[in-house]
Amino acid sequence: MRTNSKLVRLLGALAKAEAKNGVIPESVAKEIAEKAHAEDIDMDYVREGFKKTSHPLMPQIRAFTKLCSPEAGGYIHWGATTQDITDTGMILQLRNAQDILEKQLELINC
């Protein structure tokens, strides 16, 4: 199991967008975005959380929250449901797949 780097980048982007629209403090969004690096996530913590909950996202979100100050950690995932995060991740994966398929189709049509 590895942390989905797109998940933490998505949470960083969400925080920046929310700050831009006045939903969360700018300083908090900056911290969240700066710490949105999958390689810093404690994977032992994530594995244990997954064993307990069988939930694919919450242990990763909780591990990311631990990287931030208590104030910033309280705003991670702010206003978004887990389903919102899952759906957004799915769309990002589909967009990447579409790019790959379009390149392959161009090669076939040469």
Side-chain angles (χ1 to χ4, degrees), residues 88-106:
T88 302
M90 177 85 61
I91 294 303
L92 292 172
Q93 289 176 333
L94 288 171
R95 188 171 64 183
N96 288 344
Q98 179 182 357
D99 291 343
I100 292 167
L101 290 171
E102 285 177 353
K103 287 176 186 171
Q104 290 176 346
L105 287 171
E106 286 174 12

Side-chain angles (χ1 to χ4, degrees), residues 4 11 13 18 21 84 92:
N4 183 337
L11 293 171
E18 289 177 328
N21 288 287
D84 293 334
L92 292 172

Side-chain angles (χ1 to χ4, degrees), residues 53-78:
T53 65
S54 297
H55 196 285
L57 293 180
M58 287 313 296
Q60 294 179 76
I61 292 168
R62 287 187 183 123
F64 181 43
T65 300
K66 287 175 52 172
L67 294 175
C68 297
S69 68
E71 181 185 15
Y75 285 101
I76 290 174
H77 201 288
W78 187 263

Side-chain angles (χ1 to χ4, degrees), residues 2-109:
R2 63 184 177 87
T3 294
N4 183 337
S5 62
K6 288 184 180 167
L7 169 66
V8 291
R9 287 197 323 259
L10 183 143
L11 293 171
L14 173 65
K16 289 195 304 189
E18 289 177 328
K20 183 178 179 180
N21 288 287
V23 176
I24 68 172
E26 188 79 34
S27 61
V28 164
K30 183 178 181 204
E31 179 182 344
I32 292 169
E34 286 174 353
K35 294 188 177 179
H37 303 287
E39 61 272 8
D40 296 333
I41 301 291
D42 180 349
M43 288 311 299
D44 291 332
Y45 181 86
V46 172
R47 283 184 202 91
E48 287 304 311
F50 184 75
K51 285 179 190 175
K52 290 177 185 173
T53 65
S54 297
H55 196 285
L57 293 180
M58 287 313 296
Q60 294 179 76
I61 292 168
R62 287 187 183 123
F64 181 43
T65 300
K66 287 175 52 172
L67 294 175
C68 297
S69 68
E71 181 185 15
Y75 285 101
I76 290 174
H77 201 288
W78 187 263
T81 67
T82 301
Q83 191 63 50
D84 293 334
I85 301 298
T86 301
D87 290 347
T88 302
M90 177 85 61
I91 294 303
L92 292 172
Q93 289 176 333
L94 288 171
R95 188 171 64 183
N96 288 344
Q98 179 182 357
D99 291 343
I100 292 167
L101 290 171
E102 285 177 353
K103 287 176 186 171
Q104 290 176 346
L105 287 171
E106 286 174 12
L107 291 172
I108 292 171
N109 290 324

